[in-house]
Amino acid sequence: MKRLFKAAALALGLLLPGMAPSVLAAGSPTTAATAQQTVPRTILALVDLREESTIRLSRIHTMVELPLNHLGLSVVYWNVADGLPDLSRYPDLRGIVTWFAGDPFTDVGAYIAWAGRAMDRGVRFAVLGQSGVRLERGGKPVPLAVANRFFARFGLRDDDGYSDLTYKSRPILADGMIGFERPLSGVLPGYPLFRKADERFASHLVMRRGDDPASDSHLVVTGPSGGLVTDGYGRYFDAEYNRRQWIVDPFAFFRDSFATDDLPKPDVTTLSGRRLYFSHIDGDGWRNVTEVAPYANRRVLSADMVRTAAIEPFPELPVSVAPIVGDLDPTWKGTPESLQAAKKLFALPQVEPSSHTWTHPFQWSFFKDYNRQNEAPFLNRDSGYRPGKPDDHAAEEAGEVSDIGRYAVPRAYLQQPFDLDQEIGGALDYFTRLAPAGKRAVLVQWSGDTSPFEAALAAVRKAGGVNINGGDARFDADFPSITGLPPIGLPVGAERQIYAAGSNENTYTELWTGRFYGYRNLINTMRHAGSPIRLKPFNVYYHMYSGQKAASLNALVSVLTAARGQELAPVAASTYARIAEGFYTTRFEPLAGGSDGGRRWRVLDRGALNTLRFDNASASAVDFARSSGVLGQRHSQGSLYVALDPAVAEPVVALTATARADRDPPAALPYLIQGRWAFSALAAQGQGFRVAATGYGDGSMVWHVPRPGRWTVTAERDGTRLWSGSADADADGRLALTVPVSAIAPLLLRLRPTDDTAG
């Protein structure tokens, strides 16, 4: 039994006393043979870092990668300033995406030939913005016959015409792919004259000048080799407000360009059929004295204020709390009060100890090639991080512009030289020692500009940890576009940073300078990021200084209250980070023997990721007879979410046709429809079944069982029965119940028909 619990907890990314974390690095090796046999999921993004300074800020990363992730695709990057890549380095390559603003190639002919060879072997291209084939770098025109060899791959021919003045132009065809977030309106950009030359390609936007059919230009097309969006017609950009909106539906465009309909999607938003929830707190403002009456008169710390107002009243909502060692350790700037605040927080069952580093670096690049002498000019400005009274530890002084950018000092505490091992592994060990026995700090929550360099990310992995932060996800009236939502993570050299799924209160309060109530707007971001397409988990991410102001604390409580009222599956933030890592490592091996067109796959190398999604799947269901290691299924938003059993390393998922998505498909064995907890090791037992469970709050769940009528349910731990009850399965076999027992430590549930005496 203990072995079952340990296997389940490791697979779920949860820790039991005395257990080391299960860490799967983003670069986990896969044999070349396996990679060649699996469904290709990699998209190679060609970027020109001479025009875009970093991948982090590139158009593809900030706009394209999120839709590609949602479609189940993982993105890797190549800087074309270094030449053209050797595609043999990418054995699971599905496609290539470009979004150039200029002319990156000195030899356009070589690029066109390289792209042609890639397409000939089945690699699909998605081209947005400038194609990169009209001019060579430096402005030399490319012969039209050469450029047309490239455009012909997209069913087009450039007739060397151009509509500069577009006041007479109008779309004669704009299908459902056009006008996703912003319609074609106002003064339209100029466009080239693209003739349709291959009927295998579908046109989604065709412009005509006046009433002349000879002027028709096909500006958005998709087809057998990919898709092309003419510059100016993919997105709208408002320079005054720095606002971007999609004109083209990126989900539809990339779905057609990369033919993803047959691809199972590893999904990081969902667990046990429910939207996933996690919360994490950065330690900034830990020692601030709250202004909330009547606690201000007692000089209560913001960390204690958050605990009493926003953590203890919500025991069913887990939260990962990440202090800064410098705020706690008395050899730095810690006090008995700040240290005690951490111990009280870590003692709460729903709190996961995490790390916001040792000295709180503000600008991580400053420490990439660290030299203590570079910090010398800032040593006498250490107090700049803490305004006023020495016990009023400040939030990030993000509004203060100085000689290293947006921060006055490179890190909060400078009295000792920077030590990367201390900053990462040392801080994790410090918080583990501070936590009760059985709890271990494994999550590093990036500080400052949340832009760690490769060695910092590697230090987390080497310390047995996982990482999170960055991304600043917003999707609300101020940021009315999915472009405000980041992808799952960012490749940094050979490592990977995992982004938070929601923005903290800094972006809602103008860097903590006003509108301290603004964080309640997170509810709108979470609503839009969850419907009509579930793009992100529900993430409540904030700083300890939210406990300083009455307005910010009230906003935080309103967000938590809203989360409490939704159907969610809460997990610790470190669990989400491991799930996100699993997105990049997951592989699918196609198998024969499916009952519906061969739709059957073995799932490999998924780490802690335990949900697959199939889109446009209202007429599909899991074929449980030909599947193994599948916990259950649920239809939602036109997609089929499939829950995998963490105890099965290589599950097999088979799909079959179903007549109705609003009816659970019949199956000989019970399966999960949805639940608040995470489940593992599902097995038949007599006429019923048993399953391990972990989670937060009461365990509400719905199962499909083969027998209607009354069922008996028991919950036990280590052989001791903790609860017993019963519930009725309706005529369709739906068994809804709630287990009112804490499952933070794993439980074993046994469910059997009440008349089954052998169970």
Side-chain angles (χ1 to χ4, degrees):
M1 189 65 66
K2 290 182 179 179
R3 193 178 307 117
L4 178 149
F5 285 148
K6 183 172 181 179
L10 281 170
L12 290 166
L14 303 174
L15 294 175
L16 297 177
M19 287 170 52
S22 175
V23 177
L24 183 62
S28 180
T30 302
T31 65
T34 300
Q36 291 170 359
Q37 296 168 0
T38 56
V39 179
R41 289 183 53 224
T42 297
I43 301 298
L44 175 61
L46 301 184
V47 295
D48 185 355
L49 295 186
R50 294 164 298 192
E51 67 173 33
E52 296 182 292
S53 57
T54 65
I55 291 172
R56 187 184 298 271
L57 300 176
S58 67
R59 286 175 291 275
I60 292 178
H61 182 67
T62 58
M63 292 191 66
V64 171
E65 192 167 350
L66 170 79
L68 292 179
N69 287 170
H70 181 73
L71 294 171
L73 303 173
S74 175
V75 180
V76 296
Y77 290 83
W78 179 269
N79 180 13
V80 296
D82 297 328
L84 294 172
D86 177 3
L87 296 187
S88 66
R89 299 174 49 176
Y90 310 99
D92 65 340
L93 187 63
R94 190 179 194 90
I96 293 171
V97 61
T98 68
W99 194 334
F100 300 124
D103 309 301
F105 302 110
T106 55
D107 188 344
V108 169
Y111 169 65
I112 293 173
W114 174 87
R117 291 192 297 272
M119 291 188 217
D120 287 343
R121 56 173 265 197
V123 176
R124 302 167 73 97
F125 268 65
V127 177
L128 301 95
Q130 295 290 347
S131 61
V133 302
R134 296 179 182 276
L135 297 173
E136 291 191 339
R137 186 166 178 82
K140 180 182 177 182
V142 175
L144 194 59
V146 175
N148 268 330
R149 290 206 296 268
F150 183 77
F151 295 128
R153 294 285 186 165
F154 302 93
L156 300 173
R157 184 180 76 250
D158 185 349
D159 269 2
D160 201 23
Y162 194 84
S163 291
D164 192 6
L165 300 176
T166 60
Y167 67 95
K168 289 185 177 181
S169 295
R170 60 186 176 88
I172 62 160
L173 170 65
D175 67 9
M177 193 180 286
I178 308 302
F180 178 68
E181 292 178 332
R182 186 179 180 89
L184 284 172
S185 61
V187 178
L188 299 177
Y191 57 87
L193 183 58
F194 277 138
R195 304 290 192 190
K196 184 80 164 288
D198 189 337
E199 291 303 319
R200 294 177 302 162
F201 285 79
S203 296
H204 305 283
L205 175 63
V206 181
M207 297 293 291
R208 176 176 293 177
R209 189 168 55 244
D211 296 320
D212 181 11
S215 70
D216 288 358
S217 185
H218 298 251
L219 302 186
V220 179
V221 297
T222 58
S225 60
L228 181 144
V229 178
T230 302
D231 189 37
Y233 287 84
R235 68 163 185 175
Y236 167 81
F237 177 66
D238 185 335
E240 181 178 359
Y241 294 99
N242 193 27
R243 180 175 291 176
R244 302 171 299 176
Q245 291 177 300
W246 281 103
I247 296 171
V248 166
D249 180 342
F251 302 103
F253 174 72
F254 292 120
R255 183 180 67 237
D256 288 356
S257 296
F258 294 127
T260 63
D261 280 348
D262 64 339
L263 174 68
K265 282 80 172 174
D267 191 280
V268 305
T269 72
T270 304
L271 180 68
S272 300
R274 291 186 172 198
R275 188 180 185 186
L276 189 146
Y277 170 95
F278 69 99
S279 178
H280 61 299
I281 313 173
D282 291 346
D284 308 58
W286 189 278
R287 295 190 290 120
N288 288 14
V289 173
T290 187
E291 300 170 13
V292 178
Y295 305 95
N297 292 334
R298 301 202 298 267
R299 301 193 63 75
V300 172
L301 299 184
S302 288
D304 286 320
M305 193 72 250
V306 166
R307 172 177 54 81
T308 58
I311 297 180
E312 288 176 342
F314 297 90
E316 78 279 20
L317 296 179
V319 58
S320 300
V321 177
I324 305 159
V325 175
D327 278 341
L328 307 187
D329 194 300
T331 62
W332 290 73
K333 297 294 182 180
T335 65
E337 293 78 15
S338 66
L339 193 63
Q340 186 63 23
K343 291 180 179 179
K344 288 181 179 178
L345 279 160
F346 289 170
L348 295 174
Q350 73 270 33
V351 170
E352 175 187 46
S354 301
S355 171
H356 201 44
T357 72
W358 194 289
T359 66
H360 197 287
F362 287 128
Q363 191 174 56
W364 280 89
S365 62
F366 185 91
F367 301 98
K368 183 177 181 181
D369 298 305
Y370 178 70
N371 186 324
R372 179 62 166 172
Q373 290 301 114
N374 294 339
E375 280 189 311
F378 304 104
L379 294 179
N380 62 353
R381 281 193 261 165
D382 185 22
S383 61
Y385 182 66
R386 302 181 304 281
K389 302 170 186 176
D391 58 348
D392 286 349
H393 188 56
E396 296 178 14
E397 290 291 289
E400 183 174 352
V401 178
S402 72
D403 38 348
I404 64 161
R406 43 179 286 205
Y407 302 109
V409 289
R411 54 188 172 127
Y413 299 118
L414 301 134
Q415 58 260 52
Q416 293 184 18
F418 178 84
D419 182 332
L420 183 58
D421 290 336
Q422 179 192 56
E423 204 70 48
I424 303 299
L428 288 173
D429 290 342
Y430 183 94
F431 295 124
T432 297
R433 293 193 302 271
L434 204 60
K439 286 190 175 184
R440 182 180 175 192
V442 296
L443 180 66
V444 174
Q445 300 174 198
W446 297 113
S447 61
D449 64 2
T450 63
S451 299
F453 48 90
E454 183 179 5
L457 285 156
V460 176
R461 179 172 49 80
K462 292 172 183 175
V466 288
N467 78 94
I468 200 168
N469 275 355
D472 289 337
R474 292 285 300 272
F475 192 1
D476 50 44
D478 291 332
F479 295 83
S481 170
I482 65 163
T483 61
L485 299 176
I488 297 169
L490 169 73
V492 182
E495 304 295 330
R496 192 175 300 275
Q497 176 182 352
I498 301 301
Y499 284 143
S503 178
N504 61 56
E505 72 278 64
N506 266 349
T507 69
Y508 294 94
T509 60
E510 298 171 354
L511 296 178
W512 199 245
T513 61
R515 299 200 308 170
F516 296 109
Y517 56 84
Y519 193 56
R520 66 176 64 243
N521 201 18
L522 175 73
I523 296 171
N524 293 319
T525 287
M526 291 297 109
R527 180 188 303 121
H528 296 145
S531 179
I533 307 173
R534 188 177 296 167
L535 297 173
K536 290 290 177 185
F538 197 118
N539 177 207
V540 181
Y541 165 36
Y542 57 102
H543 297 85
M544 276 303 180
Y545 48 72
S546 273
Q548 181 178 344
K549 307 279 186 183
S552 57
L553 191 61
N554 288 337
L556 172 59
V557 171
S558 71
V559 167
L560 294 169
T561 302
R564 169 179 274 172
Q566 297 194 24
E567 185 187 87
L568 300 169
V571 300
S574 66
T575 299
Y576 170 74
R578 288 195 181 96
I579 291 171
E581 288 180 342
F583 171 86
Y584 297 101
T585 59
T586 298
R587 303 285 182 266
F588 300 106
E589 179 186 350
L591 301 175
S595 63
D596 184 17
R599 294 189 296 167
R600 189 166 179 255
W601 302 265
R602 178 174 286 110
V603 187
L604 309 170
D605 302 329
R606 75 186 193 278
L609 186 142
N610 289 307
T611 299
L612 303 183
R613 195 187 76 253
F614 297 87
D615 291 336
N616 302 312
S618 295
S620 296
V622 173
D623 185 342
F624 286 96
R626 292 178 171 83
S627 300
S628 61
V630 175
L631 285 174
Q633 68 146 62
R634 188 184 193 185
H635 284 97
S636 180
Q637 299 175 338
S639 295
L640 175 65
Y641 290 86
V642 179
L644 304 179
D645 193 330
V648 178
E650 296 183 357
V652 172
V653 178
L655 298 187
T656 187
T658 185
R660 296 179 57 175
D662 60 341
R663 288 277 181 90
D664 305 323
L669 296 175
Y671 63 84
L672 177 69
I673 298 171
Q674 55 94 352
R676 183 179 179 89
W677 291 345
F679 301 94
S680 177
L682 176 65
Q685 186 174 45
Q687 296 298 310
F689 62 98
R690 68 177 186 270
V691 66
T694 56
Y696 299 85
D698 289 347
S700 58
M701 61 192 78
V702 180
W703 294 85
H704 182 275
V705 293
R707 290 178 56 179
R710 176 143 296 198
W711 284 63
T712 298
V713 185
T714 61
E716 61 186 64
R717 182 179 296 123
D718 294 330
T720 300
R721 180 176 295 184
L722 304 178
W723 176 84
S724 180
S726 63
D728 292 321
D730 64 18
D732 293 327
R734 278 207 167 203
L735 178 66
L737 64 131
T738 298
V739 179
V741 178
S742 172
I744 294 176
L747 295 171
L748 181 66
L749 306 181
R750 301 183 192 272
L751 295 87
R752 60 180 176 83
T754 300
D755 59 0
D756 177 20
T757 57

